[in-house]
Amino acid sequence: MKLGLGSYAYRWSIGIKDQQPAAPLNAFDLLDRAEALGLEVVQYADNMPLDKYSEADHHKLYEVAQSKGIALELGTQCFDADEVERYLTIGQRLHAKIMRVALDEADGHMSVPDLAEQLRPLLDKARNAGMRIAIENHFNYPSPRMVELLDTIHDETLGVCLDVANSICANEWPEETIKMLAPYTINLHLKDYEITPDPYGVGFRIHGTPLGQGRAPIPWILDQLTHCPADMSVLLEHWLPIGAGLEEARAQEQPWIEQTVAAAKEFVKGR
């Protein structure tokens, strides 16, 4: 397994929605961070949209990544045909083999046959570009429906970007999600989480922890994926809460990812 950095590992330092730092990290900064951490892959997700960069930037990004021994992957948030085609072009400039796409609640309202028909021509374009599309199980798209979609399309160009915790929001326990989606997995988002009871007994809170410090059964998860290619990317992320504010969260990001990387290297040793 090839350990890598997902851009959401630096959610607060890149900026998201109304939380924007004065000097956000850019795509080249992420390469420097990944190299310093001894990682082999960087996946740019929708929080760092590469279509905001120029064609010259894309070629330079690939050259810098090559000099650091880092493979590049990219991602977007929707299956809009124009956007997917635009990102496939960017992916070719980066020599990317994986494009991650998230399905969410709006996609869940579309029938599986209709969504399959929408995806098939995009898969033809991905195949011609030498890429595979990895659908991420996101917050509100149930895994059984994703399995139905994958079985309906039945194309090796399409697989799953398995996030080990996202589907809690879709009313699934992680072990349930992983068992369903592991056979289709071609890309992995690895994170950890904790469940903390409310002090007054009114429910509980799910929040992130550095890898290996929460409830995610990491060795068991990796055991479910032994059939995957040996060089499959394992992108490290975390759910660091914003806490007292943006600057506090930014200050915690680097220690969290350093702890996560150290733990991940131990977990994948020998796999």
Side-chain angles (χ1 to χ4, degrees):
M1 291 180 164
K2 295 173 66 173
L3 289 178
L5 186 66
S7 57
Y8 271 110
Y10 287 100
R11 175 191 311 266
W12 306 118
S13 295
I14 292 170
I16 187 166
K17 297 185 178 180
D18 63 332
Q19 300 296 327
Q20 297 295 327
L25 293 185
N26 63 39
F28 295 93
D29 295 330
L30 280 191
L31 289 179
D32 293 338
R33 299 288 180 105
E35 180 184 34
L37 291 163
L39 300 175
E40 300 179 83
V41 187
V42 168
Q43 186 180 90
Y44 297 103
D46 49 282
N47 66 322
M48 184 168 274
L50 292 183
D51 58 353
K52 305 299 183 187
Y53 288 76
S54 69
E55 180 177 348
D57 288 332
H58 298 151
H59 291 299
K60 183 179 178 183
L61 203 58
Y62 171 69
E63 291 168 5
V64 173
Q66 281 291 101
S67 73
K68 297 177 182 296
I70 294 173
L72 300 179
E73 299 176 355
L74 74 169
T76 184
Q77 186 68 22
C78 73
F79 273 113
D80 174 78
D82 291 338
E83 180 163 338
V84 170
E85 191 160 1
R86 187 163 64 250
Y87 268 79
L88 288 172
T89 299
I90 295 169
Q92 287 180 292
R93 295 170 187 160
L94 303 180
H95 297 253
K97 300 301 181 187
I98 292 285
M99 184 172 77
R100 159 268 192 198
V101 179
L103 289 177
D104 220 323
E105 188 172 15
D107 303 293
H109 295 304
M110 187 180 299
S111 74
V112 167
D114 287 347
L115 186 54
E117 286 306 304
Q118 180 177 316
L119 292 181
R120 284 194 177 97
L122 302 179
L123 294 177
D124 291 337
K125 292 176 181 178
R127 192 162 33 249
N128 292 335
M131 298 173 65
R132 299 178 79 184
I133 293 179
I135 303 177
E136 182 176 357
N137 53 303
H138 217 238
F139 296 144
N140 290 305
Y141 197 88
S143 296
R145 181 177 283 262
M146 188 180 294
V147 168
E148 183 184 355
L149 176 66
L150 291 159
D151 287 343
T152 297
I153 295 175
H154 194 62
D155 189 318
E156 288 188 357
T157 306
L158 184 67
V160 167
C161 172
L162 175 62
D163 187 290
V164 301
N166 276 351
S167 296
I168 294 172
C169 189
N171 200 31
E172 298 171 14
W173 199 240
E175 285 86 342
E176 177 187 1
T177 301
I178 292 159
K179 285 179 180 177
M180 277 190 281
L181 298 183
Y184 306 88
T185 295
I186 60 174
N187 201 241
L188 179 64
H189 283 184
L190 196 59
K191 61 167 65 81
D192 208 342
Y193 60 91
E194 185 54 271
I195 302 173
T196 304
D198 180 85
Y200 299 101
V202 286
F204 47 84
R205 181 172 67 97
I206 298 171
H207 58 91
T209 70
L211 197 71
Q213 298 181 30
R215 296 190 181 219
I218 307 298
W220 179 86
I221 291 168
L222 298 177
D223 286 345
Q224 309 311 301
L225 300 171
T226 55
H227 62 282
C228 295
D231 62 349
M232 182 178 75
S233 300
V234 178
L235 291 314
L236 302 173
E237 298 182 336
H238 52 69
W239 278 341
L240 169 65
I242 194 169
L246 180 60
E247 291 312 308
E248 178 183 295
R250 291 184 69 201
Q252 289 183 295
E253 269 183 332
Q254 189 63 29
W256 269 47
I257 194 60
E258 288 175 1
Q259 293 173 61
T260 289
V261 169
K265 288 179 178 179
E266 289 300 313
F267 282 127
V268 303
K269 192 177 290 183
R271 293 181 180 269

